[in-house]
Amino acid sequence: MIPSQFKAWSVAALLVLSPSAFAQDEDVFAQYREMFGDDNPADLVSWDGEDLWSEARGPKNATLEECDLGLGPGVVEGAYAQLPRYFADTDKVMDLETRLVHCMVELQGFDAAEITAKPFTSTGEPQTDLEKLSTYIAGASKGMPVSIDLDHPKTKLAYELGKKMFFYRSGPYDFGCSTCHRQSGKRIRLQALPNLSPGAEDADKVYTTWPGYRISQGSVRTFEWRMRDCGRQQRMPEMTFGSDIAIGLITYLAAEANDAEMDAPGLKR
Amino acid sequence: MQITLNAHRAWLLAPLAGACLIAACSSEKTPEAKTAAAAHEIPGAHSAAHIDAAFEAALQSSFHPKGQAGMDRLERNDMQRACSSAEGPSTEVAQAIMKAAQENVKFPADGNYLGDWKAGKALASIGTGLQYSDDPSIPNGGNCYACHQMEPDEIAYGTIGPSLTGYGKLRGQSEEMLKFTWTRMYNPHAYNACSHMPRFGDAGILTEQQLKDAMAFLFDPESPVNQ
Amino acid sequence: MAGKMRVRASIKNGVTEVKALMSHPMETGLRKDTDGNPIPAHHITDVEVKLNDKVVLTAYWGGSVSQNPFLSFEINGGAPGDKLSIMWKDNKGESQTEEVTLK
Amino acid sequence: MTTTRRSFLKFGGAMLGTLATAALWPLQVFAARPDDAFKSKSMTDLEKLLGGTPTDSADIDFKTPDIAENGAVVPVSIESNIPGTSEIMILVEQNPNPLSAMFLIPEGTKPAVSTRIKVAQTSNLIAVVKANGKLYSSTKETKVTLGGCGG
């Protein structure tokens, strides 16, 4: 039974709670970020990637200059802004990182399993080849509009898988991407959370600034890493590099950011 | 003994839970999500059934076990299934979720709701627990600060949940309030179907003692939350 | 392997503004790796900047300068064709030099 | 401002060609680096090493963020308007080793530097300036927050 006095002030408590609970405070870190100017250590990683692109390597001792990122062999400028996309030669939807692995295997003779066993660096270690190449290639789309072509059935299916995964809640904490990313103006501690649900424009600001230099780890992080690490914090098993769900999520988020201007590599917490 | 709430009275607690509803961990049907999804209809090349089938297959092929996180964590219970959509559950399903949640709450065996607020303060800012990167032998954190404001002078707080500053000072320690707050932590779906808040008790994330410590952090007059 | 260094210098009404980004882990020696053993100190200790062989700045750094360090400063004077060089040395004796010609 | 190498070169105006070279001239021994100052653990013995307690001065323009999203990289900039400035130092009171960086400013170089430093926890940051053999300082607090989602 609910005692009457409990009823009265429970409403009062609500009033007290409400103001601060919904304070849309300004960005606490605007001043901090603004002091960085445009001097982003990711630029050094981007240079390394540019060198790797045209360096003869691997068992076949070949460069990546014949690699087709979707705009024709060797075309780098603008390629990232249109990825992920369907590739006829593999009959699969691929994001930049899986396409790079494909080229490193086909053109240079590297072993796919070896590359994908450790696609991401750990704090304090040098950047992986994939990270250097991704930073360079993403930087070569700076200023260009994201344009994901959803007409191809396989790309559209990847989009649908990504959207479905966005709302998928499981595991001990019942977490899904939507737990943190379906509302606007929210934050975890002081970490602003972009609203990435269908139609939410925060995807414009977010998707276009990956890959980005993570200050906290002193290294550039790519979007495949971003998907894997979110999965980790959702208490899920580890997401496989280049898997259908990873590429689906990336296709979904990229499509939600269609027409936004690429501005990578970014500078992140 | 658990709170028997008839439907008529349930909305009385709703204002309190409502703070959560309105603030952030509202259930699915926020107007914003509904219109956004509709406005974003891309001409479907695939039927829902086709997508579902492709999704189940993708799920199994896209993850691999690591550390304490096995593939079982991809399976869903009824609540998770009902809460895994943009639109959210129907009213009856939401009521069923709340009822099931209320019925399974385990209150403290010794009837004592309050532990050590200092231990509660510690677990409020520990965000690890049950991730494959975590050591299973170390107790899980509560990570309350991820989503809630608590001590007035701690600036690193989240805003997904309502502010809990002054919780005990405002509410006192009546039996009903202790029960309500314990239930809120044990299984938030008891008052808010599809809440974003983890089921700290029901999912075995925190032990009974940890829940008591967190309650003390909220209720104990000595606790900095109430200064 | 001493990484790259990126130096940008621009002359604006008689003052040369210099911005440098250096690639270096800057380990303090206090950090531990994932299995708990300390990572040895490895950080830049000395930086020397010259304009046509005249020292225009000397810096001494500890391990608490951030990883991939950034440095910016201004020199009165400097004309197109002048040579600006930046050299750093770390506690392992590694060194990196970058020389740029002012435009 | 695209910064890939090629466009970096194309960038017109005051930009410049980059010439990565091996050490062009023999490694000079720098005027002594005060190694012990960098190892000192407390402000008090640091002040002994640096030659006295600095007097607070409003003529030092010391910019630091009030709240740092991440203590690993905190941008700081110091400009001394005190005539005869020959040295600028950055100290972080709560760091295990408070002395972070020291800059020797010869004639003809503006006494102004910007860099990025590590701040272990919320702390006072102190810019110390040596001018005509006297020490001056400016102090500002930077809050370092619990970054990220706590995971």
Side-chain angles (χ1 to χ4, degrees), chain D residues 110-122:
Chain D
K110 233 173 125 200
V113 281
S114 301
T115 187
R116 295 164 183 172
I117 56 172
K118 299 173 193 172
V119 179
Q121 54 183 294
T122 295

Side-chain angles (χ1 to χ4, degrees), chain A residues 133-148:
Chain A
L133 288 161
S134 299
T135 310
Y136 161 56
I137 292 162
S141 279
K142 196 168 224 161
M144 294 169 194
V146 176
S147 46
I148 305 303

Side-chain angles (χ1 to χ4, degrees), chain A residues 48-156:
Chain A
D48 288 346
E50 187 176 4
D51 291 347
L52 278 181
W53 179 259
S54 35
E55 194 183 315
R57 295 191 317 139
K60 295 184 180 171
N61 196 27
T63 77
L64 288 168
E65 283 160 343
E66 287 312 307
C67 174
D68 182 351
L69 297 173
L71 302 181
V75 178
V76 172
E77 208 119 332
Y80 189 81
Q82 300 186 35
L83 287 169
R85 69 187 308 150
Y86 173 77
F87 284 89
D89 56 12
T90 57
D91 187 29
K92 278 170 65 178
V93 178
M94 303 174 91
D95 64 342
L96 171 65
E97 290 163 82
T98 37
R99 191 61 184 176
L100 280 171
V101 171
H102 170 77
C103 288
M104 290 168 78
V105 169
E106 297 302 317
L107 300 174
Q108 300 180 310
F110 284 111
D111 166 39
E114 223 174 80
I115 305 170
T116 52
K118 187 165 177 23
F120 314 124
T121 182
S122 311
T123 302
E125 285 174 5
Q127 302 276 186
T128 64
D129 292 348
L130 271 183
E131 287 165 338
K132 292 174 185 171
L133 288 161
S134 299
T135 310
Y136 161 56
I137 292 162
S141 279
K142 196 168 224 161
M144 294 169 194
V146 176
S147 46
I148 305 303
D149 164 20
L150 287 179
D151 293 341
H152 192 284
K154 287 208 170 181
T155 315
K156 179 66 171 55

